[in-house]
Structures are given as C-alpha cells and as structure tokens.
Amino acid sequence: MSEQRTIALLSGGIDSATAACIAMEAGQKVIGLSFDYGQRHLKELRAAEVIAKELSLEDHLTIKVDLSSWGGSSLTDKSQIIPTNGVQKNNIPNTYVPGRNTIFIAIGLSLAEARGANQIALGINAMDYSGYPDCRPDYLEAYQDLANLSCKIGREGKGIKLWAPLIDWEKTKIFKEALRLKIPIEKTWSCYQGDIKPCGKCDSCRIRDTALKEIGRQDLCSSNI
Amino acid sequence: MSEQRTIALLSGGIDSATAACIAMEAGQKVIGLSFDYGQRHLKELRAAEVIAKELSLEDHLTIKVDLSSWGGSSLTDKSQIIPTNGVQKNNIPNTYVPGRNTIFIAIGLSLAEARGANQIALGINAMDYSGYPDCRPDYLEAYQDLANLSCKIGREGKGIKLWAPLIDWEKTKIFKEALRLKIPIEKTWSCYQGDIKPCGKCDSCRIRDTALKEIGRQDLCSSNI
C-alpha cells in the first residue's frame, strides 16, 4: 500500500491539533499548513509552529494570504470590535471572516495535490462555531464534490478527502480526546485577541473555558495560563 | 435597485479582460482582482494593471499567495519545462497548477462578500484550456453550490454568482468580442514564458495566435508584438 499522507490545517488551536493527532494515530504522515491571513495577531501562528514541533509533524508550512486588504470581519479589521457579551444563538457574529475556510481548504487542496496527500484534516466543529456558515456539514459535503472535480486525481477517481473528524463533537469530547492524545493544551491558542494572556471574554475563550470547566480541568482555563 | 458590482479575476490575458468588459457593458461596476501566485514571471501582472487602467475599473487589487512554495506545475516550478510541442488532446499538461482556480475563486468570494459584490466574472473557457480540470462547466456548477453555502448572504438566498460568460465560446468569438469592446489586445499578455516578447510556442501562445490568424488579425500575433 502506498504511503498515506494528510495535510492538516493548523490554526494553533485545540481542534485542529486534535484532528492532526487523530490522523497520526491512524498511521498517516501529517504535514501542517497554517495561514498568515492578516489576522489581528500572530500568537496563534506561533502556537501552530509550537504544536507542529510538539507533535513531530513531517513538515509545517505557513502561507501568507492577506485578507485584511478588504477586511469584512473583526478578526481582519482592527476598527471592528470583537464581541465579548457571550455567544449569541442564531446569529453570525462579526468574527466570521468572509471566504476564510473556502480559501484555506482550497490552498490545502493545492498542497495536497502537489505533495500526493490523500486527505485534508480539518478541525472544523459545527456544534460551537458561533454559527459560521462555512463550518457546517452541508458546506463540507459541497466542498467534497467540488474537490473531486477540481483536480487531476479527483477526475481519476482518487480524490482528496476533506476529513473533519470533530464536525459533530461536543467541545468536551474534543478536550477529552486532546488530553488522551497528550496534546499540550496549554500551548495552544484560541483567544481572538492577541494580548499576553487570553482575554477570557471573547466567544472563543468562553467556549474553551466552559468545556474545560465541564471536564474538571479549569487549571487550563484562560485565567490560569 | 441597489448598485450592481462585479469582482473580475484579471490574469492580464484577453479572456478575463473580455469578461470584465462584458460586465461593464451590462452596467456593472467592476473591481479587478489579480494574483501574485508565484508564477514564473510578473509580466502578466503588469499587463493586468495596465488593462485595469485602460478599462477604467472602479478598483484593482493584487493579492499574494505563493503557490511556488510547493510547485507541482511548470508555471510555479522553474525546474519543470513548459511544453512547446503543441496542444495535446485528452492530456492535462504540466502547466496545470494544482488548486489554482479553486483558490482564486475562493479569494474572489471573500472580496465579493466584503465589498457587497453580487457576482464574480471569470475568463474561464472550457474549449481551449488544455483540458484543465478546473476550467470545465461541471466544476463551476459545483463551485456555485459551494459558494451559496459558504457565506452569510448565500445562506440568505442572495448568493454571489460565479459568472463565466466565455465558458463555451470558441477562441475566435472571444477575440471578435474583445475587438468590438475595444480592448487593447496588444497590451494583454498570454505567454507562459516571461521573456521580452511572447515565445509563440507554448500552448497559450499557440491558442492565441491560431485564433488571431483565423480572424485575420495576425498583426496582433506573438511574432508581431
């Protein structure tokens, strides 16, 4: 059997690290891919580098694609304020970045085809991603159809799989899995802000801290790292 | 009626300039978008800038996304040789760039959503694009499905249209339309090489020159500009 290789999109957060680790446990060689997309801060990129080393990935690339040229999100436009009033149900918050996942997966497909990888591991999780349209199962299914038509090997029936193992997991399940896999959670970065410590108030911190408390690991919460 | 705005992906070649011009003639405001993707040369990007000015586009942005980091194509890897032995039927040549159109359209969707544009104009042409998998109608249809699910406004039923008016045109029809629209064909750049003059031998030059001769405009052929 030929070597199995995965491109893992690494955000520096816990979900993508967990997806990468699950792929490694299944015997895949994993190449990490991160994006310098004009986000507010580079702490998450530094975290992605650290995680790639800690997990001993085969390789880790960071590519620049500057979406702050046109903004459209509080994550790529510093004049917009990141919400801190808690996750609002049925509302897409301004932390949604137009086109972000579509671009990241497209670049992942390019790298996968060039390096002969058979899948792309995504930390996407539909349960708690603040209702982003590009984190839902129907979006991923449509992208798989496109991926199969987009490339040489897809046309030959050997398409690149878009693999989002955490898509319908509760956040607590993700953290438990991360702990089992011995991922250094304290070295990941989830906060939308780029201060010295996580803010503890943005959606991303709230979601993370709530789950950590639920599994009795508040030692890893924003206020304690 | 609200203002209609188009993002036109501009390669510096004749097809994308023609698609942009057709949109303008239909009353759309047009923003050009070009990509510094690690291609062999920047002549096509300079041509795109010139065309954007000549057509008086509302704006023109160039974004960098360096696909030469992993190559996989003779256009992004200078160690590969660009074929000059004529267009081969039923064969995807090494000028195919993995993921290129998928990435470009994704970035176009991001800009379109941020700027409130209702369509993306693409110069994609299935008839003579050397069999690239990402220039075919089924690929574009699948991308439209994805685009509708990928963004806020698509979920609200006001999706961004992927508009490829030249998809099934013969190359001669494109050139006739470009001439009617008074596009300065001599200022566009099609050649895969980046020499002072077009090489006249690569697929792109051959396709262009053949069509120009067929419509009696060999004054615009590679050897004459």
Side-chain angles (χ1 to χ4, degrees):
Chain A
M1 202 178 79
S2 70
E3 199 167 64
Q4 301 289 295
R5 184 167 278 116
T6 291
I7 307 300
L9 306 196
L10 285 190
S11 70
I14 195 72
D15 297 353
S16 60
T18 304
C21 244
I22 296 172
M24 287 179 77
E25 198 176 48
Q28 294 262 318
K29 299 216 172 206
V30 175
I31 297 172
L33 177 62
S34 301
F35 301 93
D36 179 358
Y37 68 93
Q39 58 268 65
R40 290 177 91 92
H41 61 84
L42 298 178
K43 289 201 82 150
E44 62 189 38
L45 282 179
R46 278 185 229 121
E49 280 170 29
V50 169
I51 292 297
K53 276 189 192 145
E54 293 271 348
L55 302 184
S56 301
L57 300 190
E58 184 181 59
D59 197 358
H60 178 233
L61 295 89
T62 297
I63 190 160
K64 192 175 173 74
V65 49
D66 186 9
L67 305 183
S68 70
S69 304
W70 46 82
S73 164
S74 61
L75 296 193
T76 52
D77 174 0
K78 287 190 178 177
S79 72
Q80 292 190 37
I81 294 168
I82 289 177
T84 54
N85 56 341
V87 180
Q88 310 293 308
K89 288 279 175 200
N90 304 316
N91 178 45
I92 300 174
N94 72 7
T95 50
Y96 163 70
V97 181
R100 184 174 57 174
N101 279 354
T102 311
I103 295 166
F104 289 1
I105 295 171
I107 295 174
L109 283 169
S110 176
L111 176 59
E113 197 175 359
R115 291 276 181 100
N118 61 310
Q119 70 176 3
I120 297 177
L122 305 162
I124 287 177
N125 173 240
M127 300 296 280
D128 56 10
Y129 255 90
S130 305
Y132 294 167
D134 52 359
C135 290
R136 303 184 197 173
D138 58 356
Y139 165 82
L140 267 189
E141 284 163 23
Y143 215 141
Q144 184 67 68
D145 291 342
L146 177 69
N148 294 342
L149 294 170
S150 73
C151 61
K152 267 187 181 180
I153 53 174
R155 295 275 178 178
E156 291 160 2
K158 294 172 287 186
I160 296 158
K161 185 177 178 188
L162 304 184
W163 182 66
L166 320 179
I167 187 82
D168 58 0
W169 288 23
E170 298 285 346
K171 201 74 177 180
T172 47
K173 184 172 174 184
I174 297 174
F175 277 87
K176 283 180 192 165
E177 181 72 350
L179 288 165
R180 184 186 72 76
L181 291 162
K182 303 196 192 313
I183 294 170
I185 293 178
E186 70 284 1
K187 292 182 181 171
T188 64
W189 185 267
S190 304
C191 179
Y192 288 143
Q193 308 282 3
D195 295 335
I196 295 169
K197 289 185 66 162
C199 74
K201 291 177 189 168
C202 69
D203 286 2
S204 190
C205 279
R206 283 177 194 266
I207 289 167
R208 178 177 170 133
D209 287 353
T210 301
L212 283 165
K213 281 178 196 158
E214 274 180 46
I215 62 165
R217 288 303 302 264
Q218 53 205 41
D219 56 305
L220 293 169
C221 280
S222 308
S223 54
N224 294 319
I225 63 171
Chain B
M1 203 179 77
S2 69
E3 200 168 65
Q4 301 290 293
R5 184 167 280 113
T6 291
I7 307 300
L9 305 195
L10 286 189
S11 69
I14 195 71
D15 297 353
S16 59
T18 304
C21 243
I22 295 172
M24 288 179 76
E25 197 177 48
Q28 294 262 319
K29 300 216 172 207
V30 174
I31 298 171
L33 178 62
S34 302
F35 300 93
D36 179 358
Y37 67 93
Q39 57 267 65
R40 289 177 92 88
H41 61 83
L42 298 177
K43 290 201 81 150
E44 62 188 40
L45 282 179
R46 279 185 228 121
E49 280 170 29
V50 169
I51 292 296
K53 276 189 191 144
E54 292 270 349
L55 302 184
S56 301
L57 300 191
E58 185 182 57
D59 197 357
H60 178 234
L61 296 89
T62 297
I63 190 160
K64 191 174 175 74
V65 49
D66 187 10
L67 305 183
S68 70
S69 303
W70 45 84
S73 164
S74 61
L75 297 193
T76 52
D77 175 359
K78 288 189 177 177
S79 71
Q80 293 191 34
I81 295 168
I82 290 177
T84 54
N85 57 339
V87 180
Q88 311 293 310
K89 288 280 176 201
N90 303 319
N91 178 44
I92 300 174
N94 73 7
T95 52
Y96 162 71
V97 181
R100 183 174 59 175
N101 279 353
T102 311
I103 294 167
F104 290 0
I105 295 171
I107 295 174
L109 282 169
S110 177
L111 176 59
E113 197 175 359
R115 292 276 181 98
N118 61 309
Q119 70 176 3
I120 297 176
L122 305 162
I124 286 177
N125 172 241
M127 300 295 282
D128 55 11
Y129 255 90
S130 306
Y132 295 165
D134 53 358
C135 289
R136 302 183 198 173
D138 58 355
Y139 165 82
L140 267 189
E141 284 162 25
Y143 215 141
Q144 184 68 66
D145 291 341
L146 177 70
N148 294 342
L149 293 170
S150 73
C151 62
K152 264 188 182 180
I153 53 174
R155 295 274 177 178
E156 291 160 1
K158 293 172 287 186
I160 296 157
K161 185 178 178 187
L162 303 184
W163 182 67
L166 320 178
I167 187 84
D168 58 359
W169 289 23
E170 298 284 347
K171 202 74 175 180
T172 48
K173 184 174 174 184
I174 297 174
F175 276 87
K176 284 180 191 166
E177 182 71 350
L179 288 165
R180 183 187 73 74
L181 291 162
K182 302 195 191 315
I183 293 170
I185 293 177
E186 71 284 1
K187 293 180 180 172
T188 63
W189 186 267
S190 304
C191 180
Y192 288 143
Q193 308 282 3
D195 296 334
I196 295 169
K197 289 185 66 161
C199 73
K201 291 176 190 167
C202 70
D203 286 2
S204 191
C205 279
R206 283 177 194 266
I207 289 166
R208 178 178 170 133
D209 288 354
T210 302
L212 283 165
K213 280 178 195 158
E214 274 179 47
I215 63 166
R217 289 302 301 266
Q218 53 206 41
D219 57 305
L220 293 169
C221 280
S222 308
S223 53
N224 293 318
I225 62 170

